[in-house]
Amino acid sequence: MFKSKTNIFNFSHLYHLLIFLGFTANLISQNLSSTKLNQRTIKLDYNNTTGKLNTMFKECIGAGRANEGLRADWQQQLAMVKQDCDFKYIRMHGLLTDDMGVYKQDEKGNPQYNYQYIDVLYDYIISVGMKPFVELGFMPNYLASADKTIFWWKGNITPPNNYDKWQALIENLVAHFTERYGEDEVKTWYFEVWNEPNLDGFWSGTQDEYFKLYEYTAKAIKNVNSAYRIGGPATAGNGWIAETINFTNQNNVPIDFISTHSYGVKHGYLDEFGTSGTILSKDQWSVSADIINVRKKMDNLSKQNLELHYTEWSSSYTPADPIHDSYHQAAYILQKIKQTGTATNSMSYWVFTDIFEESAPRFTPFHGGFGLLNYQGIKKPAYYAYQFMNKLGETELQNSDNCSWATKNNKGDLQLLLWDFTNTHPGDMELNQTYYIKDLPSKPKEKVNIQLSNLPKGNYSLEIYKVGYKNNDPYTAYLNMGKPNQLTKLQVTQLKDESNGKPFLIEQIKVNSNNNFNKEIDINENDVLFFKIIKK
């Protein structure tokens, strides 16, 4: 009797267990179904083109200050960046600051000019095939109206004590450029008046005093050659655009381009000491919408002939934001440039190297610095965003995918650059400075199905390059090293090997008479993939 009851009891439990297992299996099936990767399809016709690829992304790149450009490691890094990314212009602060030895006065108050340091710097820039985007500032101490300065290197931010002497300095400097480099060369340069005068940290004067400075500067440059290009206001946060255009219109003051700046965090413009807490904006059109709206504003003011240059931009305005080092930054860069389209003539990423000393030399090899490269020349993920864009071909293919470019070059090779940008930042509850210093594994996002048609018959080599979590991601590798404050030679070698830019897949393909080629690949959040299909 007891045995029989036990059997009945066991059978009952078995019955309920089977029901439970069936229910669980159903839940698992549903969950697997719900987490199935989305399908993203990129359809390309080799013969369906839209014209020449817009390459405004490599028109200009930023650097910290002019005096840093006299360093050997700065110059070596610039040469590498030029070779890999092919930036055309470079812009920097502090050309006229006293550490460049440009200006003083004798005991009678007569001006004395000296351009030996500038010559060394500009000769080098031109020797590697680049041009200066000349930011005219800050104030030489002999011309300064007060002693208010910014940064560790003490750039004077006050208006001139004598505007005529300021004009004479600029005219003499530009005449020197003309004599040294030739009129035809200097005609290709840009002259920008000051930096972010709408911030009292960068300009102690008023808006009217800035416009006076602009007017005297414009006269100086045009006195040397009327074809030389002058512009501004080089403001933070897209400021003073209408005011600058109205001032130049109403006072018949020359202007050839508008320049301004935009960063992708929620608040703030200046972090001199690298201590501000920042939060990446959740607005999917941050930065790019600013640029598009400024272009519309300029057009509405009947100034369609003016060029627009964003002479600074990035995800964050502080040189202590770890998003700059993170693998997330590469996809962020590509997303913003793609969204901006043709609204601007250039977007100058701030900056090319962590050799950047606004708040004094930094004490760790990765500190959230602005650069594409760190002190030791280790290539950050952001570096590859620009290198990949530079490898795109001359002719763009028609492409309805909003997160990719497809091109072909004059040899007939095809290139495809695609990415996922997912803003994983948790929002107001956490700062960039605590979020992006973590090891942040990326989640699977989708399958990308690439469908190429009308590809000429023949044999090809397919190379695929990748940037993402633990792929050309030296910062995550640095975190896994324990974040050493100083790197040994061996550690530098290891991190450079982690970010060597080599293809992660190479295969040989054959296109037969149907002229089609398909490839499916998985992509994670914030991955960047670059495809080269090379005709043999």
Side-chain angles (χ1 to χ4, degrees), residues 295-312:
R295 181 73 261 177
K296 288 178 180 177
K297 181 184 291 186
M298 291 168 60
D299 291 346
N300 289 337
L301 290 167
S302 300
K303 283 286 183 180
Q304 294 92 335
N305 59 318
L306 286 183
E307 294 183 12
L308 173 60
H309 295 275
Y310 269 73
T311 50
E312 290 182 25

Side-chain angles (χ1 to χ4, degrees), residues 405-466:
W405 279 288
T407 61
K408 60 182 179 181
N409 61 22
N410 294 333
K411 299 177 182 178
D413 305 331
L414 189 141
Q415 304 81 34
L416 174 63
L417 176 55
L418 66 95
W419 63 91
D420 169 78
F421 174 65
T422 301
N423 188 342
T424 64
H425 190 284
D428 291 349
M429 69 183 71
E430 189 166 6
L431 297 175
N432 289 3
Q433 283 72 14
T434 59
Y435 179 69
Y436 290 106
I437 62 170
K438 304 171 186 175
D439 187 312
L440 298 170
S442 60
K443 298 177 183 177
K445 186 63 179 285
E446 57 196 356
K447 287 186 177 293
V448 181
N449 184 13
I450 302 161
Q451 300 176 4
L452 306 180
S453 61
N454 290 318
L455 197 62
K457 181 180 177 181
N459 296 317
Y460 295 81
S461 176
L462 170 65
E463 298 178 0
I464 305 179
Y465 302 78
K466 185 176 182 179

Side-chain angles (χ1 to χ4, degrees), residues 453-503:
S453 61
N454 290 318
L455 197 62
K457 181 180 177 181
N459 296 317
Y460 295 81
S461 176
L462 170 65
E463 298 178 0
I464 305 179
Y465 302 78
K466 185 176 182 179
V467 171
Y469 179 66
K470 294 190 176 181
N471 288 278
N472 290 303
D473 178 18
Y475 183 60
T476 297
Y478 171 71
L479 294 179
N480 292 332
M481 280 182 175
K483 298 172 61 176
N485 286 338
Q486 302 292 309
L487 295 175
T488 66
K489 286 185 177 181
L490 178 59
Q491 287 171 328
V492 170
T493 300
Q494 290 172 339
L495 290 174
K496 285 186 175 181
D497 191 55
E498 288 281 349
S499 186
N500 58 27
K502 293 179 180 178

Side-chain angles (χ1 to χ4, degrees), residues 320-390:
D321 195 326
I323 190 174
H324 296 137
D325 299 332
S326 171
Y327 71 89
H328 295 76
Q329 185 76 356
Y332 183 91
I333 290 168
L334 296 172
Q335 184 81 351
K336 298 308 167 186
I337 291 174
K338 179 72 173 184
Q339 286 177 335
T340 299
T342 60
T344 184
N345 297 84
S346 71
M347 287 176 70
S348 182
Y349 186 78
W350 191 251
V351 291
F352 86 89
T353 176
D354 279 355
I355 301 170
F356 180 95
E357 298 177 343
E358 287 184 351
S359 61
R362 305 309 295 270
F363 273 55
T364 57
F366 287 96
H367 50 265
F370 287 117
L372 300 175
L373 297 153
N374 84 334
Y375 281 151
Q376 291 80 19
I378 298 167
K379 298 174 182 177
K380 301 181 189 180
Y383 187 99
Y384 290 105
Y386 282 100
Q387 185 181 48
F388 291 166
M389 284 189 288
N390 185 48

Side-chain angles (χ1 to χ4, degrees), residues 15 27 45 78 103 118 144 156 222 252 314 371 451 467:
Y15 173 76
L27 279 179
D45 185 330
L78 184 66
Y103 181 88
I118 293 179
N156 190 290
K222 297 295 185 178
N252 197 30
S314 185
Q451 300 176 4
V467 171

Side-chain angles (χ1 to χ4, degrees), residues 75-108:
Q75 293 185 2
Q76 290 161 4
Q77 289 192 16
L78 184 66
M80 182 170 66
V81 166
K82 172 60 181 177
Q83 179 179 348
D84 288 347
C85 306
D86 197 29
F87 295 110
K88 302 296 190 292
Y89 292 84
I90 186 166
R91 172 189 179 267
M92 64 199 71
H93 301 326
L95 188 71
L96 305 180
T97 302
D98 277 12
D99 64 0
M100 291 298 287
V102 171
Y103 181 88
K104 68 176 183 177
Q105 295 173 176
D106 64 18
E107 63 278 2
K108 295 181 180 180

